[in-house]
Every structure is written in C-alpha cells, then in structure tokens.
C-alpha cells in the first residue's frame, strides 16, 4: 500500500511483548530458548518444557556426534579395499565402512568414534 506522498509503506513489524522483529521465526526461537523454566511452565506447561529440553539435547548431540563421524570420512575414502575387488567404488560407497579392508587397523577408528559419541551423549545427559 502507498502512503500519501507516493512512498511505499513497510509491512507492520510483529511484536512479542516489548520486542519487535522482522524475522518472526528467528526472534520467536530466541525468545523461547532464552525463557526461564518457571515462566515456561506457567505459560505452556511441563510437557512443553520437557519437549523443548529434549529437542535441545538432541540438537546438541547430533551436532557433536556429526563432527566426530565426519572425521571418519577421510579414513573411509583412503581405505583401499577396491584394489582387491578390481575397481574404485562408485558413488557414496567410497565414503562408507565397506571401503575398509577386513582386518584393517583403520577399523579401530570406528570403535574410537563410537566411544566418543557415547561419551558425548553421557556428558550431555550429565548436565
């Protein structure tokens, strides 16, 4: 819509309490994630508090474990199992556990990363 004077008006800015924002979802997430637990229970109940805490825990675990698992990709790609089988694997199988030779010492890296992911989850649950 145009105001008098020929200038286009900007869309109305949504308000969350005393906060104003242009990006509603980002601001809403910031407000919800920074809210006190007691205030969350008063406004939405315990089930919402538990659901948000669980989502935050899962997000942290996926981010940290994903970083550990990405460290395995270079090991998988240089596994050299394809020298025996007659040709390099195609597609994503080159970056998977199947590219490691049976009995290779690189298999122990998978065990170490599995323990690191387990310790990450235990550490997050301990908090």
């Amino acid at each position: 819509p145009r105001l008098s004077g020929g200038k286009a008006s900007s869309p109305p800015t949504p308000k969350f309490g005393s906060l104003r924002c242009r990006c509603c979802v980002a601001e809403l997430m910031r407000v919800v994630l920074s809210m006190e637990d007691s205030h969350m229970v008063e406004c939405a109940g315990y089930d919402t508090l538990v659901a948000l805490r669980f989502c935050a825990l899962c997000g942290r675990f996926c981010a940290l474990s994903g970083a550990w698992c990405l460290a395995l990709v270079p090991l998988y790609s240089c596994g050299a199992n394809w020298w025996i089988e007659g040709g390099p694997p195609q597609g994503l199988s080159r970056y998977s556990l199947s590219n490691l030779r049976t009995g290779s010492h690189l298999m122990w890296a998978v065990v170490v990363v599995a323990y690191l992911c387990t310790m990450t989850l235990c550490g997050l649950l301990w908090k």
Side-chain angles (χ1 to χ4, degrees):
R2 299 240 179 228
L3 296 175
S4 61
K7 295 182 181 176
S9 65
S10 62
T13 305
K15 293 191 321 186
F16 295 106
S18 62
L19 302 171
R20 293 180 178 264
C21 72
R22 292 239 180 244
C23 181
C24 297
V25 175
E27 183 64 24
L28 182 62
M29 291 298 292
R30 188 187 68 75
V31 169
V32 168
L33 293 177
S34 65
M35 191 180 288
E36 296 275 332
D37 288 347
S38 59
H39 187 63
M40 178 73 70
V41 170
E42 289 173 16
C43 293
Y46 282 110
D47 55 345
T48 303
L49 177 66
V50 170
L52 286 174
R53 281 189 175 184
F54 183 73
C55 289
L57 172 75
C58 291
R60 284 189 219 117
F61 176 70
C62 288
L64 294 172
S65 295
W68 291 122
C69 292
L70 280 177
L72 291 174
V73 172
L75 292 174
Y76 291 158
S77 66
C78 70
N81 193 28
W82 51 272
W83 290 110
I84 298 170
E85 296 175 6
Q90 302 296 320
L92 291 176
S93 62
R94 180 177 180 152
Y95 305 106
S96 69
L97 186 62
S98 66
N99 197 30
L100 297 180
R101 290 186 187 147
T102 304
S104 171
H105 66 283
L106 294 176
M107 290 280 197
W108 287 105
V110 178
V111 175
V112 170
V113 169
Y115 274 107
L116 287 173
C117 289
T118 303
M119 286 188 288
T120 299
L121 181 61
C122 290
L124 289 172
L125 289 174
W126 187 263
K127 279 184 157 181

